[in-house]
Amino acid sequence: MPDRKPSVLFVCVHNAGRSQMAAGWLAHLGGDRIEVRSAGSAPADQINPVAVEAMREVGIDITGGQPKILTTEAVEASDVVITMGCGDTCPFFPGKRYEDWKLDDPAGQGIDAVRPIRDEIRTRIEKLIAELDPAPTR
């Protein structure tokens, strides 16, 4: 199935900061070439407002996202599962590509602490896109 687009699931505990920023970057930089999901093992009530502000500074609006509970269906439907500090609470399925991104948690941090996390996520997303979609679309 060469026409099937790859799918990436970003997982962190609250699905309010890192995973939402990563999903925002991937949707922005990957366009419609890669399917994007995010979830959390213990989702927060809302996206971290500082994460929203940090992404707004680079022209990406993540206010449409809503923290979601991590489901086995979401993991099963994804080709790549990227965890960000959720430890053993993330389900594991054979045959999936897993990466654990060690990133500081933006929860409770000010904008000056969140900007470097945002920028580190962008660097990792650019590398991920190059691996998943190496051929530029014509």
Side-chain angles (χ1 to χ4, degrees):
M1 293 188 301
D3 293 336
R4 190 179 149 293
K5 53 179 158 176
S7 175
V8 177
L9 170 64
F10 296 103
V11 182
C12 66
V13 176
H14 299 299
N15 189 216
R18 293 165 290 189
S19 56
Q20 292 285 351
M21 288 193 289
W25 274 123
L26 184 54
H28 179 75
L29 297 171
D32 61 357
R33 301 188 319 265
I34 299 171
E35 191 174 348
V36 182
R37 297 183 177 91
S38 72
S41 52
D45 295 333
Q46 65 179 28
I47 296 177
N48 180 333
V50 181
V52 170
E53 182 183 346
M55 294 301 284
R56 188 176 292 130
E57 289 180 349
V58 293
I60 300 172
D61 180 6
I62 61 170
T63 57
Q66 180 65 37
K68 292 179 280 307
I69 188 72
L70 177 64
T71 64
T72 54
E73 293 80 18
V75 177
E76 288 176 325
S78 301
D79 300 307
V80 180
V81 179
I82 295 176
T83 58
M84 304 170 181
C86 68
D88 296 335
T89 59
C90 297
F92 183 86
F93 291 94
K96 301 289 175 193
R97 172 178 160 188
Y98 286 87
E99 289 185 23
D100 185 41
W101 290 1
K102 305 267 188 256
L103 297 162
D104 291 334
D105 188 345
Q109 303 282 339
I111 189 71
D112 290 337
V114 174
R115 284 183 186 120
I117 300 168
R118 172 200 68 202
D119 296 343
E120 169 71 12
I121 291 171
R122 177 183 182 143
T123 300
R124 291 172 185 240
I125 292 295
E126 288 171 340
K127 180 176 181 279
L128 182 67
I129 291 170
E131 293 168 359
L132 293 177
D133 188 31
T137 53
R138 294 185 206 356

